[in-house]
Amino acid sequence: RVFSPLNNQRPDRSKAVDGEGSNGFRDRVMPSWTPPGVIFPIMWVLIIGPLRAYSAALVVSSTGSFLTLPTMAFMLHLTVGDVWNTINNTEKRYGAAVIGVLCVVISAANAAYQYSTVDPFAGKLLGGTCIWLVTAAALITDTWRLNPTENGEKVPLYPVKGEAETSFMWFDKGEE
């Protein structure tokens, strides 16, 4: 995450595997159907990552260029995902995270469609990751439902001033 100024701190995988709390994992009330913590690193590292890499390689191989509409759509998807990660895991804006994860799903579907215009198999591979993302969207939506404010109201589906503070890793002087 070299180019993102946002604090995109991910959940600590070792803590997740051990069942401990970490930013974005076991730090809020979760639905009863939440997969065990060990599933998340397996999905991201062993399945989603390789599918993304191989499908991107197919597109670049077919086009002979890295700078194409399909690869730009994929980069947009990754960017939307990074912003969503900050909203959900670092800032814990549960309402805005619901809308954000829907944007992640839409951007992934768009990237898969763009890939399919170059290489149908690449589009199917990247499109397969949408299954996991739709599951994540349902999980995030249910998490929002289960985590009302202190007065029992649901958190709004848009960012609210004072709900959290956005930090920019490049510009924060206190964190080095």
Side-chain angles (χ1 to χ4, degrees):
R1 312 295 186 219
V2 175
F3 299 109
S4 177
L6 295 172
N7 180 353
N8 278 317
Q9 183 178 15
R10 299 298 198 256
D12 184 317
R13 286 187 188 130
S14 62
K15 287 183 178 180
V17 170
D18 293 340
E20 298 176 35
S22 174
N23 270 351
F25 183 76
R26 291 192 189 245
D27 62 348
R28 60 197 83 183
V29 177
M30 298 294 289
S32 60
W33 57 274
T34 303
V38 71
I39 298 298
F40 291 91
I42 290 170
M43 285 301 297
W44 285 110
V45 175
L46 300 178
I47 297 173
I48 303 296
L51 285 175
R52 286 175 167 177
Y54 185 62
S55 62
L58 289 174
V59 169
V60 170
S61 178
S62 293
T63 62
S65 177
F66 287 100
L67 188 60
T68 62
L69 183 59
T71 55
M72 292 290 111
F74 180 60
M75 287 186 226
L76 174 65
H77 163 62
L78 295 178
T79 302
V80 170
D82 275 353
V83 171
W84 171 81
N85 185 74
T86 299
I87 292 167
N88 184 60
N89 294 333
T90 305
E91 298 176 354
K92 296 176 180 48
R93 296 178 188 256
Y94 303 135
V98 171
I99 302 303
V101 77
L102 295 176
C103 292
V104 172
V105 172
I106 290 166
S107 68
N110 176 55
Y113 169 74
Q114 296 297 330
Y115 273 26
S116 72
T117 64
V118 173
D119 184 323
F121 184 60
K124 288 176 185 174
L125 287 176
L126 191 59
T129 66
C130 290
I131 296 168
W132 177 250
L133 295 174
V134 167
T135 303
L139 187 62
I140 294 302
T141 302
D142 212 12
T143 301
W144 165 72
R145 182 186 61 80
L146 293 171
N147 289 277
T149 62
E150 290 179 10
N151 63 8
E153 295 177 9
K154 287 192 177 34
V155 178
L157 294 172
Y158 51 86
V160 177
K161 187 173 182 176
E163 178 185 17
E165 187 173 320
T166 300
S167 66
F168 295 92
M169 290 182 21
W170 291 355
F171 309 112
D172 283 347
K173 295 181 186 206
E175 296 180 28
E176 295 182 11

